[in-house]
Amino acid sequence: MHASMTNNTRKKIVAGNWKMNVLPSQVTEFVTELRNRISGTDVDVVICPPFVCLPAAVAAAQNSGLSTQDSGLIKVGAQNMHWEGTGAFTGEVSPNMLTDLKIEYVIIGHSERRQYFSETDETVNKKIHTALMYGLKPIVCVGETLEQREQGITYEMLRMQTRLALQGLEDEQVRSIILAYEPIWAIGTGKTATPEDANNAIAAIRGVVGEVYGQDVAQQIRIQYGGSVNAGNAKELFGMPDIDGGLVGGASLKADEFEKIVRY
Ligand code: PEP
């Protein structure tokens, strides 16, 4: 039986990765518009602005007087963090700085961090441990390059990245993690994995979680697809049984398009 056919109760989660776009002076208006557009949806919606935009983003997300934990409101995440809680690490941002700002989520191991900023499976694993210790929910990215796909080693890569990322974690910790399958060749390129391909890759990732942590954890962990998701393809992708939502880059910067993705 297909892994997810036994339990389809996972709540969808759509996260917007704003990368190095959007200025602090633009955040309040943008988040307020998004908040109004997505109210009443039954999907976890997370936005991940640049660090310097986080205080304004949290303030705008909470402006209704309700907590960001409440259903229908926007939750805020960071795009990265250091693996230490404090210390002499010039230019870095620590997990307790994020929790001090009431940030709930943090993206860890995005392929752009791996490619341009020397992020490794080891640092990803360290960051996940620390994020969980501080009560943050990590959104952990894994994905193959075009070369690896062409060599036919996609699943080996995904299995290895997933195992290394989750190494040393307890069952309970793994349940609160969000994994994001992001084929690198699909990020920012306009090329998308087919819904079947994306679903199979995510089912393989769920399979690894099941081998290490058991079926119960594998059924509960939410796994997103990321890579050129837009208003036109979200419905088909998110309708697949193993795909629990998306990590969205470019299309999350347009309020109307992001709303359509959330309301797929
Ligand atoms: C991303 O940055 O994680 C991403 C998926 O980007 P895009 O949607 O632009 O491909």
Side-chain angles (χ1 to χ4, degrees):
M1 186 185 291
H2 196 283
S4 286
M5 286 184 174
T6 53
N7 177 344
N8 226 345
T9 58
R10 295 183 299 270
K11 189 173 181 188
K12 300 276 184 197
I13 175 163
V14 176
N17 175 11
W18 292 1
K19 310 194 185 192
M20 202 171 70
N21 301 303
V22 182
L23 299 172
S25 58
Q26 299 170 320
V27 171
T28 303
E29 197 182 330
F30 193 19
V31 176
T32 305
E33 180 179 356
L34 275 181
R35 211 191 59 218
N36 294 336
R37 283 177 176 270
I38 61 122
S39 78
T41 54
D42 191 25
V43 173
D44 282 336
V45 179
V46 185
I47 47 158
C48 301
F51 285 129
V52 292
C53 298
L54 289 174
V58 172
Q62 289 182 330
N63 208 16
S64 63
L66 300 169
S67 136
T68 55
Q69 309 274 357
D70 289 329
S71 173
L73 294 182
I74 292 177
K75 294 148 203 254
V76 182
Q79 298 173 17
N80 180 36
M81 52 162 248
H82 196 267
W83 60 81
E84 293 289 343
T86 176
F89 298 101
T90 302
E92 290 291 324
V93 170
S94 70
N96 59 346
M97 291 172 188
L98 300 180
T99 52
D100 193 59
L101 284 177
K102 309 274 183 283
I103 303 294
E104 257 188 87
Y105 290 84
V106 59
I107 298 174
I108 293 179
H110 191 281
S111 60
E112 287 154 16
R113 304 268 347 146
R114 294 182 193 248
Q115 189 178 352
Y116 305 126
F117 302 100
S118 311
E119 190 84 83
T120 63
D121 289 323
E122 192 186 344
T123 58
V124 166
N125 177 252
K126 277 176 152 171
K127 289 181 180 187
I128 296 170
H129 276 270
T130 316
L132 291 166
M133 207 164 75
Y134 281 87
L136 290 159
K137 295 177 188 134
I139 299 175
V140 181
C141 304
V142 295
E144 82 283 3
T145 62
L146 182 59
E147 203 183 356
Q148 289 160 348
R149 172 159 279 246
E150 286 172 349
Q151 286 170 355
I153 56 170
T154 296
Y155 287 14
E156 279 96 320
M157 290 310 301
L158 296 178
R159 291 175 62 83
M160 189 177 70
Q161 284 180 342
T162 306
R163 273 183 183 270
L164 292 174
L166 302 182
Q167 208 162 39
L169 296 174
E170 304 292 331
D171 292 13
E172 279 317 306
Q173 293 178 304
V174 177
R175 283 179 216 272
S176 67
I177 290 175
I178 317 296
L179 291 173
Y181 166 55
E182 295 216 307
I184 295 167
W185 49 270
I187 297 179
T189 58
K191 291 183 198 151
T192 320
T194 65
E196 291 73 24
D197 261 4
N199 193 71
N200 289 342
I202 288 177
I205 294 168
R206 200 179 296 290
V208 179
V209 176
E211 283 163 25
V212 183
Y213 292 99
Q215 275 310 305
D216 197 38
V217 176
Q219 289 305 320
Q220 279 188 23
I221 192 166
R222 293 187 288 177
I223 311 181
Q224 301 171 311
Y225 167 77
S228 299
V229 173
N230 59 41
N233 59 29
K235 186 174 178 165
E236 254 198 305
L237 285 161
F238 299 173
M240 299 303 285
D242 269 294
I243 304 182
D244 302 321
L247 181 54
V248 185
S252 72
L253 293 166
K254 298 172 208 140
D256 56 340
E257 178 137 16
F258 195 56
E259 179 191 1
K260 285 185 192 137
I261 293 170
V262 170
R263 294 187 187 278
Y264 75 96

